[in-house]
Amino acid sequence: MGVLHLSCVRFASAQELAAVMGHLTWFALLNRPSLSSFDEVYAITRSMTEHREAVPDNVLVEIMVFMCLMPLLEGDLSRGWQEEIVATDASVDFGFGVSTAPAHGDTLRALSRAAANRDTLVRLQRAGTDEPAKKRKGTEFALPLKKSAFRTVISAKRHHDAHSGSLEATALGLGFRWLLRSVTKHSKRTVVLLDAKAVLGASIKGRTSAPTIKRDMRFVSALVLAGDLHVKALYVPSEDNPADAPSRGIVQRWRRRRSAVAPHARTGGLGKGAILKHQLKYGPHWPDYARGKYYNIGHQIWKRTHTGSRESQNYFRRSFRNCDWSDAGSLSSLSGAGD
């Protein structure tokens, strides 16, 4: 009611405006990113006197925007965990990098408890080619992962010049945009690793008054509110940040597992027996490297053994199981592919 009265009267003293902001800030603690809707109101409150004065329109707009966001102010501590750790970084030499690694619940809960201490810094397991760790102040948390466990999901070149803090905030926004592409990743507790303490502090606090990153952090807060994320941000030194390499244009991706039939294709192509047996088992849907001389025969085999009456299917399956797989002519006569 006080906010509605203020929007109608448009006059207030410093004490009255401070009382309204105190109540709104208390509600905003349920979801700190909503605090990013406030900016000019703090400066106006400090400059006002004890006498009632006209409240500027931009202050009223900020208050009404916050009122519109109040349905999003919830603190559900029972929401599930994001089953991956997100690391972001930015570089003035190239652009932005985002890396992710799968993690189980125990590791995520331990990181979340460590995030309660502002002095915590995350250390990764080191490999022989990693940069040596530098001495830094704070409580170290040993994450049981190497940089090789992270895969690069974004390595994008920047298209504009900006302050390094603004670039770091933009990289954080890119990481959240990548996460929120999948609906299954909404409404989760998410662990994020950053190596920029200004952006880290702004993300923990929910807002910032720094003009270099204020706009970018508002965009980040909008993404967090829209995705109903509960963010646990931690500091990771640059030498341990897995997103440092992709932010400089060096991409690290997971190796894809090779299929069971692909090695035959790399050693001179699939044999006719392998093609026919595989097609009899899996059907006519084949990758391009397996389509060739014996494809029509295998298709007819699959058709005869998977369609028609049950007696017909069993008859043809027994016939093909006992036939000579090395004789393409006999297979053609049995399958009818040569008709």
Side-chain angles (χ1 to χ4, degrees):
M1 297 298 294
V3 174
L4 294 178
H5 178 74
L6 178 63
S7 63
C8 294
V9 177
R10 294 175 177 264
F11 280 87
S13 63
Q15 185 177 3
E16 292 173 341
L17 187 58
V20 171
M21 288 303 302
H23 284 81
L24 297 183
T25 303
W26 186 83
F27 284 110
L29 295 179
L30 290 171
N31 206 341
R32 280 185 169 270
S34 60
L35 287 170
S36 60
S37 58
F38 298 132
D39 184 30
E40 297 292 338
V41 64
Y42 294 113
I44 295 298
T45 304
R46 288 192 295 267
S47 63
M48 293 178 67
T49 62
E50 297 180 356
H51 303 285
R52 303 191 72 184
E53 303 176 13
V55 180
D57 292 338
N58 56 349
V59 173
L60 293 175
V61 168
E62 291 180 1
I63 294 176
M64 296 310 296
V65 167
F66 179 82
M67 294 297 294
C68 294
L69 294 176
M70 286 198 72
L72 302 178
L73 303 184
E74 62 174 350
D76 185 8
L77 300 180
S78 64
R79 71 187 75 187
W81 287 96
Q82 202 82 255
E83 294 183 351
E84 55 187 337
I85 300 173
V86 181
T88 67
D89 196 12
S91 171
V92 295
D93 298 330
F94 179 78
F96 313 104
V98 179
S99 299
T100 64
H104 53 80
D106 294 338
T107 301
L108 296 172
R109 281 188 286 270
L111 282 169
S112 178
R113 289 192 294 268
N117 184 6
R118 297 293 181 88
D119 295 333
T120 301
L121 58 94
V122 178
R123 291 288 189 185
L124 272 66
Q125 292 181 353
R126 316 202 72 77
T129 58
D130 291 343
E131 181 181 352
K134 300 178 182 178
K135 290 185 178 180
R136 299 179 185 270
K137 293 182 179 180
T139 305
E140 294 188 359
F141 178 88
L143 184 64
L145 292 175
K146 296 182 179 179
K147 284 187 178 181
S148 58
F150 288 78
R151 69 183 178 101
T152 301
V153 295
I154 294 178
S155 180
K157 189 174 180 61
R158 62 183 179 89
H159 298 288
H160 65 282
D161 294 330
H163 188 269
S164 59
S166 176
L167 294 177
E168 293 281 356
T170 302
L172 180 60
L174 288 175
F176 286 132
R177 287 180 65 182
W178 178 85
L179 271 179
L180 297 178
R181 294 186 309 169
S182 175
V183 180
T184 59
K185 297 181 180 180
H186 292 198
S187 302
K188 301 285 187 180
R189 286 180 280 184
T190 307
V191 176
V192 180
L193 303 181
L194 305 168
D195 62 0
K197 290 212 169 179
V199 178
L200 175 67
S203 62
I204 294 175
K205 184 179 179 181
R207 64 171 299 273
T208 180
S209 58
T212 54
I213 62 175
K214 178 170 57 178
R215 180 177 179 180
D216 299 295
M217 289 308 302
R218 280 186 167 184
F219 177 71
V220 171
S221 298
L223 291 173
V224 173
L225 288 173
D228 191 23
L229 299 177
H230 185 64
V231 180
K232 295 291 186 179
L234 294 100
Y235 173 72
V236 58
S238 297
E239 62 270 18
D240 288 275
N241 192 349
D244 182 72
S247 70
R248 303 179 188 278
I250 305 172
V251 179
Q252 174 69 29
R253 301 190 186 276
W254 283 337
R255 293 183 178 180
R256 295 182 178 179
R257 293 184 178 180
R258 297 177 178 178
S259 63
V261 296
H264 299 282
R266 292 191 299 272
T267 57
L270 290 175
K272 52 191 175 183
I275 289 180
L276 298 178
K277 287 181 180 179
H278 197 279
Q279 200 154 18
L280 177 62
K281 182 176 181 180
Y282 295 106
H285 304 289
W286 276 79
D288 292 337
Y289 60 77
R291 297 179 182 272
K293 180 178 179 181
Y294 302 99
Y295 175 75
N296 292 331
I297 299 176
H299 176 73
Q300 291 296 328
I301 290 176
W302 183 87
K303 183 178 179 181
R304 293 294 182 89
T305 55
H306 289 76
T307 59
S309 64
R310 181 62 60 86
E311 293 77 8
S312 176
Q313 292 182 28
N314 292 335
Y315 170 76
F316 279 104
R317 287 180 182 178
R318 287 194 300 269
S319 300
F320 293 130
R321 191 178 299 115
N322 298 326
C323 73
D324 184 7
W325 289 92
S326 62
D327 187 0
S330 62
L331 290 172
S332 299
S333 61
L334 285 173
S335 62
D339 294 343

